[in-house]
Amino acid sequence: MQYAWYYWTGIQGRGEFVRLALEDAGADYVDMARVHGDAVMQPFLDGHSEGAQPFAPPFLKAGRQVIAQVAAILDFLGPTLDLVPQAASRRMQALQLQLTIADLVAEVHDTHHPIAASKYYEDQKTEARARAAAMRDERLPKFLGYFEQVLKANGGRHPLREHSYVDLSLFQLLSGLDYMFPRRMRALWPRLPLLRALKDRVEQRPGIAAYLASERRLAFNTNGIFRHYPELDGEK
């Protein structure tokens, strides 16, 4: 099946978690906004196209189905792309982990936009400094320590004991945090050897390595979720 993939052009954001799954599996997909422009998404957002109406990108069209929300898209794609174990209990575990990743991603966004997403970062820099300090000191160790424990409990290499979309999402999460908080992550990495090894392994997977070297992979920038503002980083 050929998938129609919808996400904003020029933004390295939540959609990248799905794109990595499509690329890793060698899926046949068309990046609709890059081909036709961002306006191609508007009929779906206005409820004028067949399928369920999404609130916002990213969303995926598979036949007549329209699936939105990163975790829901990955749960849908996982069995078809062989990126999740077949057992229902393992698929549920994958979804649980993906939703936990989504929780952290939401907190990452709110670090640089703690007051309102509609306001520029420059309009909330004072509040962002306080939020970033709490993120670095409290939230990152808590979330990343949890994922390190999950890896250890499941043999050390994969959260689900075999390769899955969760591995890919952890790679994207860790890559983004490395970009956003380079000083803090340097201090945290010694506590996270299993996560560091997972990140390195995913980066070397054939489909991912080819994607990362291609023009399809957008660099992290200050238009996405993971934004590097030096004043928000620190070793502690």
Side-chain angles (χ1 to χ4, degrees), residues 43-99:
F44 293 91
L45 301 177
D46 292 340
H48 296 156
S49 294
E50 67 174 0
Q53 181 180 357
F55 176 73
F59 56 92
L60 182 83
K61 192 169 189 296
R64 294 184 177 182
Q65 284 188 283
V66 176
I67 307 100
Q69 297 288 353
V70 168
I73 297 170
L74 291 172
D75 183 58
F76 171 81
L77 288 174
T80 303
L81 300 184
D82 197 24
L83 284 175
V84 71
Q86 292 300 312
S89 61
R90 305 293 275 168
R91 184 173 171 180
M92 181 58 67
Q93 184 182 8
L95 180 58
Q96 171 189 314
L97 291 169
Q98 188 65 41
L99 288 167

Side-chain angles (χ1 to χ4, degrees), residues 15 29 74 76 105 132 139 168 173 187 207:
Y29 77 99
L74 291 172
F76 171 81
V105 170
R139 305 305 284 166
L168 303 171
L173 174 68

Side-chain angles (χ1 to χ4, degrees), residues 11-14 16-17 101 104-109 112 135 140 169-181 217 219-229:
I11 295 181
Q12 223 271 32
R14 289 179 174 87
E16 199 66 14
F17 290 93
I101 291 170
L104 178 52
V105 170
E107 292 197 27
V108 164
H109 171 270
H112 49 76
M135 170 64 82
L140 285 183
S169 291
L170 284 172
F171 166 79
Q172 175 66 11
L173 174 68
L174 295 167
S175 298
L177 291 174
D178 243 352
Y179 171 78
M180 186 173 182
F181 296 119
R217 171 71 167 186
F220 289 106
N221 56 63
T222 53
N223 290 323
I225 297 294
F226 300 99
R227 305 184 182 190
H228 176 59
Y229 297 114

